[in-house]
mmCIF file of all heavy atoms in Angstrom:
data_model
loop_
_atom_site.group_PDB
_atom_site.id
_atom_site.type_symbol
_atom_site.label_atom_id
_atom_site.label_comp_id
_atom_site.label_asym_id
_atom_site.label_seq_id
_atom_site.Cartn_x
_atom_site.Cartn_y
_atom_site.Cartn_z
ATOM 1 N N ASP I 569 56.534 -37.972 -42.282
ATOM 2 C CA ASP I 569 55.261 -38.680 -42.233
ATOM 3 C C ASP I 569 55.451 -40.077 -42.809
ATOM 4 O O ASP I 569 56.039 -40.240 -43.876
ATOM 5 C CB ASP I 569 54.203 -37.928 -43.051
ATOM 6 C CG ASP I 569 53.740 -36.660 -42.358
ATOM 7 O OD1 ASP I 569 54.300 -36.332 -41.303
ATOM 8 O OD2 ASP I 569 52.829 -35.995 -42.884
ATOM 9 N N PRO I 715 44.560 -51.338 -47.909
ATOM 10 C CA PRO I 715 43.646 -51.315 -49.054
ATOM 11 C C PRO I 715 43.408 -49.870 -49.490
ATOM 12 O O PRO I 715 43.843 -48.923 -48.817
ATOM 13 C CB PRO I 715 42.371 -51.955 -48.499
ATOM 14 C CG PRO I 715 42.448 -51.759 -47.025
ATOM 15 C CD PRO I 715 43.903 -51.778 -46.670
ATOM 16 N N GLY I 832 36.969 -59.278 -67.353
ATOM 17 C CA GLY I 832 37.098 -57.899 -67.813
ATOM 18 C C GLY I 832 36.700 -56.852 -66.795
ATOM 19 O O GLY I 832 36.807 -55.659 -67.065
#
Side-chain angles (χ1 to χ4, degrees):
D569 287 5

